[in-house]
Amino acid sequence: MTDLPQFHSLRGAAVEAIRTPDLQQKTELAQAAARRWQGRKLSLRSPLDRSVPERPGRPAKPVLTPPTQVKRRSLGSLKGRIALLHAIAHIELNAVDLALDIVARFASEAVPNSFFDGWMQVAFEEAKHFRMVRQRLNDLGADYGDLPAHDGLWQAAHDTRNDLTARLAVVPLILEARGLDVTPALQAKMRETGDHESAAVLDVIYEDEKGHVAVGAKWFRFLCARQKKDPAATFQALVRANFRGPLKAPFNDIARAEAGLTPSFYRSMTASTNI
């Protein structure tokens, strides 16, 4: 476990984790920072903190390409399962940095410390997910970085870097919620192919992601209440302004509702595309 004696604050630790291109170190730093924050052994901010980077640190591989150039393969083959797990590893890695970024970038926001409790728990679990998926890739004779990955995920962070409410609308309530929609079918498909180990990894991710969407919904509703705004209407306006692309059905309405994201938020926006 990486020690953090050099860090003066949670924000400083989050910034260093975002910056590092070493993925083992990144995930260890994220989890160590979460533990120290939850143990109230770190202050929130320090004048010595470095600035939040525009992009997270990354290794030389995978090669990043536009989403349209990433090939899709059938899950019926080993190559197809490796490709899917590689894509999931890439999503989980970005999720680590997105959770850290919301902590570091909005550390001066007027929100309770429990806001940062929630997001550091998310960062901790996303780091766990990345490590689990990477280990599963290793078990199958592959590794993260072996295949190209798409470069669209970090765009959400860049587009909402100046607006916490917009960040919550786009990242947990669209990107994370999408995982609730698509993961059950992937779990079933993995089991159909006999890959119960990969399915078990997806089981853990699916259950944790419900909590991540719930953290996003909780704080989105909190900010809307403080601003005396209707949450569903505010969500729709922010999505139109900050999200590129359609909201795609089918939706896992039950899991979404359990997390506090009811159909009134997204149903009217199905397949609406921003121009």
Side-chain angles (χ1 to χ4, degrees), residues 118-178:
W119 287 110
M120 287 311 298
Q121 182 64 27
V122 172
F124 185 97
E125 291 174 352
E126 302 291 17
K128 175 185 71 176
H129 297 167
F130 175 76
R131 288 228 246 348
M132 290 175 68
V133 180
R134 190 176 193 181
Q135 182 58 57
R136 185 61 190 144
L137 282 169
N138 294 165
D139 294 343
L140 296 174
D143 196 8
Y144 178 69
D146 288 352
L147 299 172
H150 73 78
D151 195 29
L153 291 168
W154 196 252
Q155 190 66 46
H158 179 77
D159 290 348
T160 58
R161 64 194 182 280
N162 298 318
D163 186 338
L164 176 56
T165 312
R167 172 66 64 88
L168 292 170
V170 171
V171 175
L173 301 189
I174 293 181
L175 301 181
E176 292 254 26
R178 184 64 181 153

Side-chain angles (χ1 to χ4, degrees), residues 160-230:
T160 58
R161 64 194 182 280
N162 298 318
D163 186 338
L164 176 56
T165 312
R167 172 66 64 88
L168 292 170
V170 171
V171 175
L173 301 189
I174 293 181
L175 301 181
E176 292 254 26
R178 184 64 181 153
L180 301 183
D181 301 333
V182 303
T183 303
L186 298 177
Q187 292 166 295
K189 188 67 175 178
M190 285 294 189
R191 289 192 166 91
E192 285 175 17
T193 64
D195 191 344
H196 297 284
E197 295 83 359
S198 294
V201 171
L202 293 178
D203 290 347
V204 173
I205 292 174
Y206 180 66
E207 291 304 318
D208 286 348
E209 297 293 352
K210 291 179 186 178
H212 301 176
V213 176
V215 170
K218 170 187 174 179
W219 291 108
F220 184 82
R221 291 177 182 277
F222 171 87
L223 293 174
C224 287
R226 192 165 70 184
Q227 299 164 18
K228 295 182 170 55
K229 292 181 177 178
D230 176 77

